[in-house]
Amino acid sequence: MCLRPAGLLLPGLANPLRRPYTTNSEEEERVSALAGRVMRGERRAVAQAVTLVESSRHRDRRTAEALLARLAAATAAPTSSSSCLSRHPTTSTFRVGISGPPGVGKSTFIEALGMRLVEREHQLAVLAVDPSSARTGGSILGDKTRMLRLSNHPDAFVRPSPTRGTLGGVTRYMSETIAICEGAGYDTIIVETVGVGQSETAVEAMVDMFLLLVSPGGGDELQGIKKGVMELADLIVVNKADGDLADAARKTQFEYQSALKLIHPKSFDWMPRVMACSAATGKGVDDVIATFEEYRKTMMETGELWRRREEQKRQWLWRLIADELVDRFKQDPNVQQQLGSLEREVARGTLPVGIAAERLLDLFGHPHQS
Amino acid sequence: MSSRVLASTAENEAEWKKRATKELKGSPKHEGKDPLESLSFETPEGIRMKPLYTPTDVAGLDLTTNPYPGLFPYTRGPYATMYTNRAWTVRQYAGFSTAEESNKFYKQNLAAGQTGLSVAFDLATHRGYDSNHPRVKGDVGMAGVAIDTVEDMKVLFKDIPLDKVSVSMTMNGAVLPVLAMYIVAAEEQGVKQALLSGTIQNDILKEFMVRNTFIYPPKPSMRVVGEIMAYTSKNMPKYNSISISGYHIQEAGADASLELAYTIADGLEYVRTGMAQGLSVDNLAPRFSFFFGIGMNFYMEIAKLRAARKVWSQLIKEKFSPKDERTTVEAMAAVLGGTQSLHTNAYDEAVGLPTVTSARVARNTQLILRDESGIPKVIDPWGGSYMMEKLTDDLANTALDIINEVESMGGMSSAVEKGFPKLRIEQVAAKRQAAIDSGEQVIVGVNKFRLAKEEKMDVRQIDNTIVREAQIKQLEQIFAGRDKAKAEQCLANLTKAAAGELSGNLLELAVEAARARCSVGEISDALEKVFGRFQLNDSLVSGVYAASHPQQDLIHRIQGLSEQFLKDEGRRPRILVAKMGQDGHDRGAKVIATGFADLGWDVDVGPLFQTPAEVARQAIDADVHAVGISSQAAGHKTLVPDLVAELKKQGAEDVVVVVGGVIPPDDYDFLYKSGVSCIFGPGTRIPDAAEQVISSIKKKHLKSAVTAQ
């Protein structure tokens, strides 16, 4: 197999020389030291680097960007593509998004899957997203996403992260977290989200394969899962196919297969599949891994895996631009001057929303006149 | 006679209202309102209690038709004569350190007036581990006595005639080896098993709900319960094969109606389990006993025991139609409640194991009630009280609704598998914690009339390293001296029987294994090979604590601290709440976790039964600011320093370590010196704890910037 270090996905940031991120040499030294430790796979450093990219503090953002740039520079060195038989760029890493409704047994599934992966000498990072409370901002992490054996395995890194209110937030730092983990040598990344809803779209936009986990539940279950989520899936796995539920699982598998026929496939090269397994007994889990490998091989040979990543990078670029623009917009002195009164007028109904938006946008980016 | 005395009830009520209204004049809360309404209040059970009860409240209740104890539905007591003829058994829960030490303590207590034994086992034993297992380093001999083989059991009951003294054993996980060793210890003392009297708790359902001292998953665990019932009903006619426990449900924060309902629903499930073993309800039910917790809510607790007898006897009659209704229902009721056997907790229970003094005070409390107060001379003195009869009826109805809900889910086993009762108890517990923290629910000395400085309490100290070493040495000797082939054969038989490849009762096979000097760990492992070890996977409630806290100002202020932290540090304060060792009491950890999350923290919840190294690893991966260790079972002096060392070893010495739970004040200095930043004893208010941990983090953790290492 053609092994090439993980391509780091930093649009416009791949070359640290293009733009100076560090303000002084002390800062540069710190970043360099951290990058070194991350690349050596030091657990504590990887965890701290993830904290850094998750941070909402302005100066941490700058440090994080510098760190990512360093990791990218180190790992994205050009390889002699002559040694690769494939016509397309390849990667040694594989990113899987796993989602499913509460109670479907995601953590048990990921534990079973993950233990097999590390036994096959993969380095696995599991990034789990737990919802923050909209009311208090706090969160409870790891109670629904608990992988006992995996979280103590030397070749695994399990990190729960709070959504912190906005899903946009997750998308933003999760891509960077993936980059950190890959920079640290983790070749398989699982991104887990709780529940069925908008978060799936966000996660699908940053992984190579999206797996939807469902329980044997028949037609009701099927209705509960939005068509939009099924459209995202490259693989649907019916869990709990054991004991009393084995028959129901088969039936559910069949139902999803029929339902998938009505959905326009996401890719020309891969027809989404439905499989059944039991994370509790381990039955069928090896088949899921075999399907991962088959999928990865197919998508790499056709170049689609790389195309997807390229597209994802473009999306990521635009997300960053959008986020940054909004930030800068809010900081703009001209905008700040008018924002309060225009907002009030809009709220009172004395000014149409469209006009207010246009006025504010017109103010943005001009030299400040006081 | 004046006309006022002869006035009708309606006239009297109007007159009373007039006077009450007059007396309430000037009270801002009550003035101008209907006194009956405005002086009413709602209990945590959702029962509306009035300031005054009159005959109209009890019109139509069944006590007006059957006011006799010893008769269906037994509301007034299971026996016709009750304490007027025979008082309750004075039974004090005890056990610690080695079998020798506990044996000495038991004999002292029996001499001082105690009438039955109640054995506390250490957590290693509960969870089916021998003392030499690496996961139980901090647990051996700490929260109970360490038992590895039948030799320990023999020492535990040395010079105590087991045919005369009834023994109650709190054991739910390792029931098979422990009961087997008790049987063999008696046998080798010369007492036939048919003569043994006492109780094994054997109530696994509540373990999955609140206490977590299980070994196997729910289904095989229920099978074990059934096989024990089958064995004892055949071989041990005087022995109670199960003690269905509401106590732990209450301790986990449940209100009276939840405790009552879940305990009775557990009981119904056990009847079904026994019947599946081929036993009849007439055979089974007389050997059931119930164990309720009695808290400070005076009226409600009395009503609870009265309602329990009534609901249980009615449901047994309705659901299982026993042949001999009288015997069955009466015998069941006979052992029901704290009424036939009473255990009083020692005053130092919240900080450690009872000392000789505290055990004496606890025991004498009972003896004074029994011998001095005159209370036992009248049967159910509350009978006929308008209030008590009405409250009993209301509580019974509230509980019946919950029982029906459980039954409609397919009984308690299914409900427990779905995790439903657990979540409901936790909700109530979080609410209660908010009420206590805010002072709405008064606990004298804790949240009201606090002393500026508490007097130091002497607490029994156990050196668990010595106990562990002694146990390990003895275990090695026993293993070296036994018939190896015989022991292996016994264990293989257990594994085969568990897998269904060999017929035979599991307890019977465990008795053989115990005779062959197989250990608790070996017998448990033999079954674990087939059954597996159960891992808890449950979710937490959130939002309840902050929402039900009456002091919203305080909540907002502490939430503000988290917001400020977020602004300063780029993320919320993050804490890992963890439990180490085999201590499964997770109520405290859960209340803290949900409370901190409600106060704006990111809270990682660690799994149960972790080693210090595992906790350190999780703290590092999640990059938390602090680790909060919840300890209820005395392992802190070994496990906490180990954790601090592990954090250091793994390069995370800047992580703040705080400890909460049952920590004797004498240990505080030791823990501070080991590197602990804060210690939170019983009665700590969660917002105060959150504030202190934030300031500890600021002091220690943030000195070193994220990357400066």
Side-chain angles (χ1 to χ4, degrees), chain A residues 30 44 51 57 139 141 156, chain B residues 568 602-603 617 623 654 707:
Chain A
R30 283 191 333 134
R44 175 96 167 123
T51 302
R57 193 160 53 173
S139 64
L141 306 161
Chain B
D568 296 343
D602 287 327
V603 182
R617 159 80 189 265
D623 194 23
D654 54 336
T707 51

Side-chain angles (χ1 to χ4, degrees), chain B residues 19 24 29 113 179 191 197 201 214 305 310 313 348 381 396 415 427 446 450 486 496 503-504 507 531 542 607 613 673:
Chain B
R19 288 188 181 208
L24 292 174
K29 234 172 114 188
L179 187 50
V191 175
S197 70
Q201 199 161 73
F214 44 68
L305 294 185
K310 179 177 157 177
S313 59
D348 51 2
Q427 248 166 14
V446 172
R450 269 185 97 121
K486 172 95 186 136
K496 276 189 213 151
S503 68
L507 180 53
F531 295 158
S542 69
K673 278 186 194 130

Side-chain angles (χ1 to χ4, degrees), chain A residues 30 34 43-44 47-48 51 55-57 136-141 143 146 148 151-153 156 158-160 162, chain B residues 535 538-540 568 570-572 574 597-598 601-605 607 614 617 620-621 623 651 654 706-707:
Chain A
R30 283 191 333 134
L34 182 61
R43 183 174 293 284
R44 175 96 167 123
Q48 287 176 332
T51 302
S55 175
S56 58
R57 193 160 53 173
T136 65
S139 64
I140 291 176
L141 306 161
D143 64 323
R146 179 166 297 158
L148 264 185
S151 58
N152 285 314
H153 196 284
V158 179
R159 172 71 173 236
Chain B
Q535 300 289 4
D538 55 7
S539 46
L540 256 72
D568 296 343
R571 61 170 173 153
R572 292 179 174 278
R574 186 163 179 170
D598 282 4
W601 287 59
D602 287 327
V603 182
D604 290 79
V605 187
E614 287 165 349
R617 159 80 189 265
I620 285 167
D621 279 8
D623 194 23
D654 54 336
V706 165
T707 51

Side-chain angles (χ1 to χ4, degrees), chain A residues 70-271:
Chain A
R70 273 189 189 273
L71 291 177
T75 51
T79 52
S80 51
S81 55
S82 58
S83 70
C84 290
L85 295 172
S86 169
R87 290 173 292 121
H88 304 285
T90 57
T91 170
S92 61
T93 66
F94 188 52
R95 308 160 187 167
V96 189
I98 298 182
S99 199
V104 65
K106 277 186 296 294
S107 40
T108 321
F109 176 73
I110 294 175
E111 170 109 324
L113 190 76
M115 283 309 290
R116 282 168 173 76
L117 287 169
V118 291
E119 274 156 22
R120 293 171 191 206
E121 292 179 357
H122 283 286
Q123 303 280 317
L124 172 69
V126 179
L127 310 172
V129 181
D130 279 321
S132 297
S133 156
R135 236 180 319 150
T136 65
S139 64
I140 291 176
L141 306 161
D143 64 323
K144 296 173 203 70
T145 53
R146 179 166 297 158
M147 290 140 250
L148 264 185
R149 289 163 66 212
L150 210 49
S151 58
N152 285 314
H153 196 284
D155 294 330
F157 175 73
V158 179
R159 172 71 173 236
S161 293
T163 54
R164 295 195 284 174
T166 59
L167 283 162
V170 181
T171 4
R172 175 163 167 178
Y173 61 69
M174 192 54 88
S175 300
E176 296 179 0
T177 303
I178 292 173
I180 299 275
C181 292
E182 290 181 347
Y186 291 97
D187 60 40
T188 308
I189 316 287
I190 291 177
V191 180
E192 180 197 354
T193 49
V194 176
V196 166
Q198 344 159 245
S199 55
E200 281 69 19
T201 327
V203 169
E204 195 263 351
M206 60 182 91
V207 294
D208 301 326
M209 180 185 206
F210 184 70
L211 186 158
L212 181 65
L213 195 68
V214 296
S215 22
D220 296 348
E221 179 77 23
L222 201 62
Q223 281 188 346
I225 293 186
K226 293 193 188 76
K227 184 165 163 272
V229 176
M230 275 185 65
E231 279 172 351
L232 300 175
D234 299 298
L235 177 62
I236 295 175
V237 176
V238 186
N239 191 19
K240 303 185 183 171
D242 53 55
D244 299 344
L245 291 176
D247 288 342
R250 253 195 304 278
K251 190 163 164 262
T252 306
Q253 186 181 1
F254 181 72
E255 282 169 353
Y256 274 99
Q257 267 157 356
S258 321
L260 274 180
K261 285 185 190 135
L262 305 174
I263 287 174
H264 189 69
K266 198 162 113 182
S267 153
F268 289 116
D269 307 315
W270 180 266
M271 284 299 290

Side-chain angles (χ1 to χ4, degrees), chain B residues 493-505:
Chain B
N493 286 347
L494 272 166
T495 306
K496 276 189 213 151
E501 292 158 17
L502 180 84
S503 68
N505 182 284

Side-chain angles (χ1 to χ4, degrees), chain A residues 9-20:
Chain A
L9 317 165
L10 293 167
L13 305 180
N15 182 353
L17 300 174
R18 201 179 291 164
R19 200 175 122 191

